[in-house]
Amino acid sequence: MYESEPKRVIFLIDNKSFYASVEAVARGYNPLKTILVVMSEQANTNGGLILATSPLAKKLYGLQANVSRQRDLPDEKHLLVVPPRMNLYIKRNLQINDIFRRFVADEDLWPYSIDESILDLTHSWRLFGDSPLAVAKLIQRTVRKELGLYTTIGIGENPVQAKIALDVYAKKSPDLIGTISYQTVPDKIWTITNLTSVWSIADRTAAHLNRLGIHTMYELAHANPYLLKAEMGIIGTQLFALAWGIDRTKLAKRVKVRSSSIGNSQVLPRDYAIQSEIELVIKEIGEQVAARLRHHHKQTSCISLGIGFSYAASEEAGRGGFSHSLRIEATNRNDELIAALLLLFRRYWQGEVIRNVAVYTSRLSADAGEQLTLLTPIAEQVHKSDLARTVDALRTKFGFTTVVYAKSKLRGGTAIQRASLVGGHNGGNSYE
Amino acid sequence: MNKNRDLKLIIERLQPHFHRRSQVRYAILVSNDPYDHTYNFFFNEYPTAHRQRSIPLHSVTGSLTELEALIQALRHSVNFSLEFTGFAGLRWPSSDRLIEPKRERAE
């Protein structure tokens, strides 16, 4: 029955406790034998967020693999806490992918996240060993030898099999390799009873499936696909295919993005209630988004502002926040974007205390030229545009904090402090 | 390696983390990173009853002789004890003494 399905050799490779392992190796410790957590202590993390936990710390303290809070961490003297260095992890990720490129052609490698990559070895595995398993072991040894890091590998005949093999089997197997093929779907996928351990099924989807009387992957595979589709839409069909280990994705065929967008958001370090302070942050983020538009040579004609209320305010207001968009003349100028953002903010904000600000731009077009208006002198318009580009050039060359607006020094501004962060955490670049 | 500049950076960066708290042992960890071919410096805090902390300070590249000169200068400037990892079997060029007498802690 699987005759017409694609049969490839797909590896999904994941770095075991990536950030924690990188930090252990940098200190000369074995990543599997160190009790270490990477903790971000930015002002907006409310005491500290655990970004990564070494395998031994997970085992000893029963810590979650994903982000948890400082308060959940035992205060125990054998536990080593280190700050994150995001730039170092990005560098390591690039080095790891360079190693993978020795085993596959460029078009057969897809970095999936900071610590996961998908490799299609269909055409190349025979060059490196007698079996895909032998090649997987060779890749593991190479990464370990050159970077000191342990990798976990899921092997499948398509990407979803490889992903499930990785998540459900490889992480628990002594050689850190898991394999699923069409033949072993009944043994390896149908036997899974914890639905949320399967890629793409989280709590809400699992609850939905439970309501349909589906509690295991076997039950999902034997459910009526038409019923699943009627109940859950296209996702229902996809889940059904997943239960049978079917995935027809052609990885080499790049998905064309229909409409890209550029935006930024941030969680504030404390609750903001004063209009001027909130508007200051909106302006800062607006300027950051405008600079990114200019950097990508794009203009936007639709801008959205998302505001998240603080916990108490959302209880009171009965909603978590608001998000609204506005169509504008295509632009990437600071003043025009900020004017639109403030218009949106003042129209919809009713004095709530807020904790979250997001600015997104969509309907992007090429930055081919500027639409001058009749109402402002041309010299003034050109001057504004030149000024923004000069500031951009200075920041590209010397760093963001070379020139900042005086307003960023006011109470509530976050731009200066955020300049050194990568993905919201300490980049560590000043230490390189 | 530029001894004076590296020394200045290491001291500058550890200062904000040194609070002279009681019941806390402080140390500078020097690791030999064979993957990046660097010597990495960390400022470690070992409280007697709480979590340890380890703050990255600096990384340098160079020969063992250069590292030895930097370590000597560091010992002159600060009194923190020094810990070494990844130097198993290696000896200081001037004295021929083992850098890392035995494998220490943490693992």
Side-chain angles (χ1 to χ4, degrees):
Chain A
M1 64 188 265
Y2 285 120
E3 289 89 35
S4 55
E5 295 301 327
K7 289 190 181 59
R8 312 190 69 81
V9 177
I10 305 286
F11 282 15
L12 224 150
I13 310 185
D14 155 278
N15 286 279
K16 197 146 183 70
S17 305
F18 184 46
Y19 300 172
S21 296
V22 170
E23 292 296 344
V25 168
R27 287 167 177 77
Y29 306 144
N30 181 317
L32 298 186
K33 295 181 187 164
T34 312
I35 312 169
L36 180 150
V37 300
V38 180
M39 190 152 82
S40 182
E41 293 178 280
Q42 292 305 322
N44 66 357
T45 58
N46 195 9
L49 273 184
I50 300 163
L51 301 185
T53 315
S54 73
L56 196 55
K58 273 180 200 157
K59 199 170 137 194
L60 286 177
Y61 305 124
L63 292 168
Q64 291 285 314
N66 53 8
V67 180
S68 44
R69 296 283 175 170
Q70 191 265 146
R71 57 174 178 265
D72 303 326
L73 195 65
D75 194 8
E76 207 269 331
K77 70 173 190 174
H78 296 294
L79 180 63
L80 181 64
V81 177
V82 310
R85 290 185 284 176
M86 301 304 284
N87 289 325
L88 177 63
Y89 313 145
I90 293 171
K91 181 179 144 195
R92 283 288 180 277
N93 173 260
L94 296 175
Q95 289 173 316
I96 290 167
N97 280 302
D98 281 341
I99 293 178
F100 295 161
R101 278 193 192 89
R102 293 181 215 157
F103 294 88
V104 292
D106 273 358
E107 60 268 29
D108 290 329
L109 171 72
W110 300 271
Y112 183 62
S113 70
I114 182 96
D115 70 343
E116 281 188 16
S117 292
I118 309 175
L119 283 70
D120 184 344
L121 279 110
T122 313
H123 304 299
S124 56
W125 70 266
R126 284 183 191 82
L127 299 172
F128 303 100
D130 298 336
S131 65
L133 186 68
V135 180
K137 287 185 172 162
L138 177 63
I139 294 178
Q140 283 181 323
R141 278 200 302 276
T142 312
V143 176
R144 170 83 181 124
K145 184 162 161 262
E146 293 183 21
L147 300 171
L149 301 168
Y150 290 92
T151 44
T152 315
I153 304 185
I155 306 175
E157 290 184 85
N158 61 36
V160 85
Q161 289 176 5
K163 179 68 177 157
I164 297 175
L166 174 76
D167 292 343
V168 181
Y169 295 102
K171 289 178 181 174
K172 285 170 199 149
S173 118
D175 62 359
L176 302 178
I177 297 176
T179 309
I180 293 181
S181 64
Y182 289 109
Q183 279 69 43
T184 57
V185 164
D187 296 336
K188 297 264 177 94
I189 298 186
W190 293 356
T191 47
I192 300 171
T193 48
N194 176 12
L195 289 176
T196 54
S197 68
V198 178
W199 173 79
S200 85
I201 304 181
D203 291 340
R204 282 172 59 102
T205 308
H208 198 162
L209 289 170
N210 288 347
R211 284 201 298 279
L212 300 174
I214 297 167
H215 299 87
T216 65
M217 290 306 280
Y218 178 88
E219 287 170 357
L220 180 60
H222 294 83
N224 178 349
Y226 297 102
L227 184 85
L228 284 172
K229 187 173 182 189
E231 183 68 30
M232 310 178 85
I234 193 82
I235 296 296
T237 332
Q238 227 173 69
L239 288 172
F240 184 72
L242 180 94
W244 285 85
I246 288 174
D247 178 358
R248 293 173 184 161
T249 322
K250 285 204 186 74
L251 288 168
K253 209 174 126 199
R254 303 280 152 153
V255 177
K256 219 172 153 192
V257 179
R258 200 180 298 156
S259 157
S260 56
S261 77
I262 287 179
N264 280 86
S265 68
Q266 66 169 295
V267 178
L268 298 167
R270 57 176 168 82
D271 291 348
Y272 277 45
I274 303 167
Q275 185 170 359
S276 63
E277 280 187 6
I278 302 173
E279 291 187 353
L280 173 56
V281 175
I282 294 176
K283 283 179 200 167
E284 285 181 345
I285 301 178
E287 276 156 11
Q288 189 183 4
V289 172
R292 288 182 59 201
L293 284 170
R294 293 191 293 271
H295 182 81
H296 291 276
H297 306 289
K298 295 283 185 197
Q299 294 192 336
T300 176
S301 42
C302 180
I303 187 158
S304 343
L305 174 71
I307 295 286
F309 300 153
S310 75
Y311 185 72
S314 48
E315 292 274 285
E316 202 175 298
R319 53 178 190 157
F322 61 80
S323 178
H324 292 282
S325 326
L326 193 65
R327 290 288 185 86
I328 50 175
E329 288 285 333
T331 182
N332 55 21
R333 261 179 39 195
N334 290 357
D335 54 335
E336 291 178 354
L337 290 173
I338 288 169
L341 288 170
L342 292 183
L343 180 77
L344 281 170
F345 177 66
R346 289 174 187 165
R347 189 184 291 167
Y348 296 105
W349 183 63
Q350 292 162 344
E352 294 92 345
V353 177
I354 75 154
R355 198 62 185 258
N356 237 304
V357 180
V359 172
Y360 282 88
T361 57
S362 51
R363 302 182 75 85
L364 305 185
S365 55
D367 187 4
E370 203 161 317
Q371 182 62 54
L372 297 174
T373 79
L374 286 169
L375 307 172
T376 326
I378 290 176
E380 194 180 308
Q381 295 180 53
V382 171
H383 171 75
K384 275 187 179 160
S385 184
D386 283 349
L387 180 66
R389 281 173 203 284
T390 311
V391 170
D392 291 345
L394 278 171
R395 284 176 172 171
T396 308
K397 196 157 180 193
F398 302 106
F400 178 86
T401 48
T402 339
V403 272
V404 288
Y405 291 94
K407 64 171 184 268
S408 289
K409 279 285 193 188
L410 291 173
R411 187 178 143 79
T414 61
I416 296 171
Q417 195 269 334
R418 278 173 12 104
S420 64
L421 304 185
V422 177
H425 307 296
N426 179 21
N429 32 352
S430 57
Y431 290 168
E432 288 299 336
Chain B
M1 220 182 283
N2 174 338
K3 193 180 82 181
N4 292 331
R5 197 202 57 190
D6 291 329
L7 179 68
K8 188 167 160 270
L9 273 178
I10 291 170
I11 293 174
E12 247 174 43
R13 286 172 181 170
L14 72 78
Q15 263 158 1
H17 300 284
F18 178 49
H19 303 295
R20 291 184 175 76
R21 286 188 284 130
S22 64
Q23 309 274 349
V24 178
R25 183 167 68 84
Y26 295 92
I28 293 173
L29 170 74
V30 186
S31 77
N32 178 13
D33 186 338
Y35 308 107
D36 262 0
H37 310 288
T38 54
Y39 303 113
N40 305 332
F41 289 76
F42 299 89
F43 186 57
N44 285 8
E45 252 182 65
Y46 305 106
T48 46
H50 303 281
R51 296 172 204 144
Q52 306 169 13
R53 292 170 63 88
S54 173
I55 309 292
L57 298 173
H58 193 39
S59 287
V60 298
T61 51
S63 65
L64 261 188
T65 316
E66 288 173 290
L67 179 69
E68 187 175 22
L70 175 60
I71 295 290
Q72 277 166 356
L74 190 61
R75 285 194 203 272
H76 276 288
S77 315
V78 293
N79 283 321
F80 297 112
S81 49
L82 292 173
E83 296 173 351
F84 296 91
T85 56
F87 291 90
L90 292 175
R91 289 168 186 276
W92 288 122
S94 73
S95 62
D96 205 37
R97 282 183 24 200
L98 277 174
I99 299 175
E100 187 188 348
K102 59 178 191 327
R103 195 106 174 105
E104 281 192 77
R105 45 149 262 108
E107 297 196 1

